[in-house]
């Protein structure tokens, strides 16, 4: 649009005869926006068809609100804890995550469809062109922008469509609740679940816990060849299931010289606890970076590699991190062999297993003994 044309069309904003739509048009003109086509969707307000459209949009918002409430209800009441056995009603816990996804997905879908239908079927048909320009906004521009926003609010018709207003609020409020409901998971005190594993005697009526294979067979020294390794779990009910996912342990049979080197390097806390039995050592498999299973043991370099981000731990130096993003040692599980010849944990891990967080010690020497 040329400057001359703009000047000729310029209006006095203080003219009391100006309607809000006139000011709105002026605001657009100021921004070099020209209205090519503007037509109310329903020129005669309150027609049967308009009411029908309103009801459809309102229904979408109501459904959005109901599904959002369903999401909150699933979050609060649906069983989610792994019960140790997967039978009958216990299997309901499997559906918690899908139900969260379904309810939230449907809520967002209905809310989106409601907004789209509102825009497509109730808002005026508009067509604009705009020349782009640089620069900030003057006070005058701000006043014009204000009028624009008021005009849009009027176009949306919240004032004269109380049904839609209520339905919109009914849909939006539970959606807001659904957004904050997951924070409820932070309310419950995790207790000692972050520091106690399945090897704690509390899980075995106060008795030391043996080490077992995935198939439940209890581990003896002759089951791991020199230089070999085996993944061990606490020999308690459900010990090899996700319920004790923090307990998976790598039992390594070191060569003589590697075992001697480890004994020389042992931190006092591990030495005092007789944590190494013969040439066997047991480390947590849970990588201290973000928790992947670190189980690629290369006996020639005596390094344990985590495949996720390539952290490496020196097995003959208390599993100190020597490469990659992990910053904490892999915790060592004190082990011994009982009179029946089976490995058992003499006590639980001396430092917490898993990734670091703000109040976890990074090195065994930082642990108060
Ligand atoms: S989880 Fe092991 S290196 Fe990242």
């Amino acid at each position: 649009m040329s400057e001359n044309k703009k000047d000729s069309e310029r209006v006095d904003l203080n003219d009391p005869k100006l309607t809000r739509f006139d000011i709105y048009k002026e605001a657009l003109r100021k921004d070099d926006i020209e209205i090519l086509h503007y037509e109310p969707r329903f020129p005669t307000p309150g027609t049967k068809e308009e009411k029908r459209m309103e009801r459809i949009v309102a229904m979408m918002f109501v459904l959005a609100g109901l599904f959002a409430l369903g999401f909150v209800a699933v979050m609060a009441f649906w069983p989610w804890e792994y019960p140790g056995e997967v039978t009958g009603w216990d299997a309901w816990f499997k559906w918690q995550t899908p139900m969260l996804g379904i309810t939230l997905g449907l809520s967002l879908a209905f809310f989106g469809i409601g907004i789209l239908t509102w825009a497509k079927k109730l808002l005026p048909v508009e067509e604009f062109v705009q020349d782009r320009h640089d620069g900030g906004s003057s006070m005058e521009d701000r006043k014009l922008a204000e009028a624009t926003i008021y005009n849009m609010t009027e176009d949306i018709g919240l004032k004269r469509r109380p049904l839609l207003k209520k339905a919109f609020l009914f849909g939006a409020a539970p959606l807001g609740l659904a957004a904050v409901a997951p924070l409820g998971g932070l309310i419950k005190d995790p207790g000692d679940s972050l520091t106690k594993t399945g090897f704690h005697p509390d899980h075995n009526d106060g008795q030391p816990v043996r080490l077992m294979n995935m198939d439940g067979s209890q581990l003896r020294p002759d089951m791991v060849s020199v230089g070999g390794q085996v993944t061990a779990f606490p020999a308690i009910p459900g010990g090899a299931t996700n319920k004790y996912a923090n307990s998976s342990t790598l039992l390594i049979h070191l060569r003589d010289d590697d075992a001697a080197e480890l004994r020389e390097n042992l931190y006092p806390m591990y030495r005092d606890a007789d944590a190494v039995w013969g040439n066997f050592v047991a480390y947590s498999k849970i990588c201290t970076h973000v928790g992947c299973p670190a189980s690629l043991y290369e006996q020639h370099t005596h390094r344990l590699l985590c495949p996720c981000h390539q952290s490496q731990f020196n097995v003959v130096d208390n599993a100190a991190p020597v490469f990659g993003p992990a910053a904490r040692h892999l915790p060592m599980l004190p082990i011994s062999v009982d009179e029946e010849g089976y490995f058992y944990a003499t006590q639980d891990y001396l430092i917490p297993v898993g990734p670091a967080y703000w109040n976890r010690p990074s090195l065994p020497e930082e642990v108060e003994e």
Side-chain angles (χ1 to χ4, degrees):
M1 189 185 293
S2 75
E3 275 306 315
N4 286 344
K5 191 175 177 191
K6 268 201 280 185
D7 287 346
S8 69
E9 288 177 359
R10 190 147 284 172
V11 296
D12 177 7
L13 291 176
N14 296 318
D15 181 351
K17 283 196 269 185
L18 283 182
T19 64
R20 187 176 286 146
F21 189 70
D22 290 332
I23 302 176
Y24 168 55
K25 279 201 294 188
E26 177 64 6
L28 294 178
R29 205 174 291 127
K30 283 268 184 191
D31 278 343
D32 295 329
I33 298 173
E34 196 180 347
I35 300 179
L36 296 182
H37 183 70
Y38 187 95
E39 175 192 353
R41 197 76 66 165
F42 294 98
T44 316
T47 60
K48 239 180 161 182
E49 180 59 12
E50 186 183 13
K51 293 277 172 214
R52 192 177 74 86
M53 272 304 146
E54 270 186 48
R55 281 196 298 276
I56 290 173
V57 175
M59 174 82 73
M60 295 296 142
F61 290 140
V62 168
L63 286 171
L66 289 176
F67 279 109
L69 286 174
F71 173 88
V72 175
V74 171
M75 179 70 75
F77 303 115
W78 198 282
W80 58 272
E81 274 179 300
Y82 179 66
E85 288 177 16
V86 186
T87 51
W89 280 84
D90 290 349
W92 278 80
F93 81 95
K94 287 182 177 176
W95 294 97
Q96 199 238 8
T97 305
M99 286 308 294
L100 287 175
I102 289 169
T103 48
L104 188 60
L106 285 174
S107 175
L108 290 172
F110 280 119
F111 201 76
I113 294 170
I115 295 275
L116 280 177
T117 313
W118 192 337
K120 287 259 175 216
K121 301 291 183 187
L122 289 172
L123 295 190
V125 183
E126 299 172 328
E127 218 177 305
F128 304 92
V129 286
Q130 179 181 23
D131 292 335
R132 302 186 72 173
H133 63 84
D134 299 326
S137 308
S138 63
M139 285 310 292
E140 190 183 43
D141 284 343
R142 289 178 205 183
K143 185 173 178 185
L144 296 172
E146 189 184 322
T148 306
I149 291 166
Y150 275 121
N151 195 70
M152 279 168 60
T153 315
E154 215 149 79
D155 277 350
I156 289 170
L158 273 180
K159 269 191 196 153
R160 64 189 176 83
R161 293 185 176 124
L163 172 69
L164 276 188
K165 189 174 174 180
K166 285 178 196 151
F168 183 84
L169 287 177
F170 183 85
L175 254 181
L177 199 59
V180 296
L183 293 176
L186 300 176
I187 292 172
K188 191 178 168 192
D189 182 352
D192 57 8
S193 65
L194 296 177
T195 53
K196 194 193 276 188
T197 75
F199 288 106
H200 197 287
D202 281 1
H203 294 293
N204 195 29
D205 297 327
Q207 298 304 308
V209 178
R210 284 181 175 173
L211 277 61
M212 70 172 186
N213 258 320
M214 182 81 175
D215 62 9
S217 56
Q218 298 185 2
L219 288 165
R220 297 185 314 268
D222 61 355
M223 295 166 83
V224 192
S225 55
V226 177
Q229 62 182 53
V230 66
T231 299
F233 302 91
I236 54 175
T241 64
N242 281 345
K243 187 174 182 187
Y244 296 102
N246 64 348
S247 310
S248 79
T249 297
L250 204 62
L251 178 65
I252 304 172
H253 190 169
L254 298 170
R255 294 175 303 185
D256 287 340
D257 49 346
D258 290 343
E261 193 176 341
L262 172 60
R263 284 184 187 285
E264 254 176 48
N265 291 335
L266 268 186
Y267 281 108
M269 63 182 296
Y270 293 141
R271 202 176 298 141
D272 295 347
D274 284 332
V276 176
W277 185 88
N279 285 358
F280 288 85
V281 63
Y283 288 115
S284 166
K285 269 184 86 164
I286 314 296
C287 179
T288 53
H289 177 219
V290 287
C292 284
S295 53
L296 298 175
Y297 175 51
E298 192 182 60
Q299 60 164 311
H300 293 298
T301 59
H302 37 73
R303 287 189 178 194
L304 193 56
L305 173 77
C306 174
C308 285
H309 315 98
Q310 275 67 53
S311 283
Q312 293 180 21
F313 303 89
N314 188 350
V315 164
V316 296
D317 185 15
N318 308 278
V322 288
F323 183 82
R328 299 176 71 229
H329 290 57
L330 289 176
M332 188 185 288
L333 179 70
I335 50 168
S336 188
V337 171
D338 59 24
E339 63 280 2
E340 291 180 46
Y342 291 105
F343 278 113
Y344 71 98
T346 59
Q347 54 187 303
D348 201 357
Y349 282 97
L350 299 179
I351 55 176
V353 303
Y357 56 82
W358 61 93
N359 60 352
R360 272 193 170 175
S362 292
L363 299 169
E365 66 223 14
E366 291 174 7
V367 178
E368 280 181 30
E369 294 179 52

